[in-house]
Structures are given as C-alpha cells and as structure tokens.
Amino acid sequence: MSELDQAASSLASHPLLALFRDAADGRFPSVDGQVTILPALPRGLECSVAFTGHAVIATALSSGEVRSQEPDGYGGSLAPDFLRYLAGQGGRIGTLDAVLVARGASGSPRLPQRLDAEDHPRVRHARDLRTGVRVYGDERGLVTLADGLAGRRELSIELDQSGGGSGSNNSSGLGRSLLRDALTLVPAGEPVFAAVSPGNARSLRAFLAAGFVPLGSEVIIRPERTSAG
C-alpha cells in the first residue's frame, strides 16, 4: 500500500469523520460541556472542533495532558491559550472557521473541470491541507472539491475578482450561483462540508443562501513540540 493510500485509509477510518457525518444527519454529541479526545489526524495535523455544548479534540497528546489544561465544551477548547498549548511554541494555528454542510444536488454537473489553475492561491491552500483536490469553475470563479479534515468531502470557492468578484455589488449573487452549481458536482444527497471564517460575512451569507447549514466551528493545527508535552 502506498503512502497516499495509507493516508486515505486512515482518514476514512478516523472517528472524527463519523462525528461529522452524524452531525450532518442531525445527530450531535450530547450538550454536556464535555470534551471528547481522539487520535491525531494523518499528515501531522490536529484540530479542535466545537459543537453546541461539546468539544472534540484530535491530537497526539495524551488524554491526561489535554485534560490537565481544563478545556471544556462551552468554548474553552477554542481559547487562544489552549490552542497555543496544543500547537506548541513553534506550531501553526489555523483560522477559526464555521463548519457548514449541504447535500449534493441531482442533475448533470454544471461546472467544467479546470486544469489551468494549479498555481492559484486557493488551489495551493487546498493542497496544503487536503488530498484528492479537484478544481472546477468558469468565468465566475473557482471551486475546489477535496478530501479534507478527517476525510470529509470539502468544497471551497474563490470568485474571479477581475470579472465582478469580491469587490462587485453583484458578488453575493455570483457566489450563490457558483455554489449552487458546485453542488451538482457532488452525488445527490451526499454531504459536502465547508469551512468559512465568520469574519468573511459575504462568503458566509453566500453559503447560507445556497443551502449550507452550520454544524459548529473548528481550528486546524499543525503542531511542533519539543517534547511529549
């Protein structure tokens, strides 16, 4: 088995994936203020995920080490000091994102694949965190589909700023239409996830208008630790 196949197998079996898929179906962890601790993700990644009243942390640190910092399911698992503890002094802490989910739409795919965007910043960012990245789009912008956190199917978009994108008064409409067409790239009824910064209000509004619903929030971490703790 190749290294890529091993990573894909690990992602497919990671327990965090089942939690995301359950949440997409409306089955959330108990609202009990508790923290579930899971093994680290492949490719050197870890994360802290917050659902309503319950947190999930995937890390190589032991349960005892994590719990010694007293995180909780009411926001403490995403506190800056706790995230820095998880990452270590030299680690990289990603942005706080809202986790959204929608379902694939029926009908023929409405976006062509793009083979000319490998150097686009959106595509480079996707490849840094995800595997199996595929790129689609048209004059409105780009869409990436990939295997993301814990192996979930993830979608992201980037509007073409030169053609009426993020600075245009019509950009919200373009984003919504691009997202609705992107959902035809996913098998009908299958969940597809997105991570959107709450501060990017225009993007968040577009995802919500296109039928995405919020599940929780998350931060992805690439730790660098000098010792076991």
Side-chain angles (χ1 to χ4, degrees):
M1 182 180 291
S2 69
E3 183 177 342
L4 186 59
D5 289 338
Q6 289 176 341
S9 177
S10 297
L11 285 168
S13 62
H14 197 281
L16 182 56
L17 178 59
L19 290 176
F20 281 132
R21 294 185 68 92
D22 282 348
D25 289 333
R27 298 187 299 273
F28 290 88
S30 298
V31 182
D32 54 13
Q34 298 301 307
V35 177
T36 296
I37 300 174
L38 301 176
L41 299 158
R43 303 179 70 200
L45 297 179
E46 301 186 2
C47 67
S48 181
V49 180
F51 296 105
T52 299
H54 196 96
V56 181
I57 298 166
T59 178
L61 296 173
S62 71
S63 176
E65 289 175 300
V66 174
R67 295 190 189 282
S68 72
Q69 302 301 304
E70 301 184 347
D72 60 54
Y74 298 127
S77 67
L78 294 174
D81 287 346
F82 178 70
L83 294 176
R84 174 48 62 197
Y85 166 79
L86 283 182
Q89 288 303 309
R92 191 172 80 189
I93 300 172
T95 59
L96 173 64
D97 286 327
V99 184
L100 311 174
V101 70
R103 300 280 173 174
S106 58
S108 300
R110 295 203 289 263
L111 289 174
Q113 191 166 7
R114 292 279 299 269
L115 302 176
D116 60 339
E118 289 301 308
D119 199 44
H120 190 281
R122 170 66 60 181
V123 178
R124 292 201 305 268
H125 175 72
R127 294 194 188 283
D128 182 49
L129 293 173
R130 304 167 186 138
T131 60
V133 177
R134 290 153 290 159
V135 186
Y136 303 85
D138 55 22
E139 69 281 354
R140 292 169 294 178
L142 295 177
V143 171
T144 66
L145 275 176
D147 298 322
L149 191 64
R152 70 190 183 190
R153 181 186 286 114
E154 290 184 6
L155 181 153
S156 67
I157 67 168
E158 182 83 19
L159 295 184
D160 183 355
Q161 297 185 33
S162 65
S166 62
S168 168
N169 290 332
N170 192 40
S171 61
S172 293
L174 287 174
R176 294 167 192 173
S177 67
L178 185 59
L179 282 167
R180 291 188 179 111
D181 286 349
L183 291 176
T184 67
L185 303 171
V186 179
E190 285 294 306
V192 59
F193 299 84
V196 181
S197 169
N200 189 350
R202 178 178 289 145
S203 179
L204 186 57
R205 288 196 302 269
F207 274 87
L208 294 174
F212 283 78
V213 296
L215 299 181
S217 56
E218 68 188 24
V219 173
I220 297 176
I221 294 166
R222 197 181 296 275
E224 183 177 305
R225 304 184 184 106
T226 56
S227 66

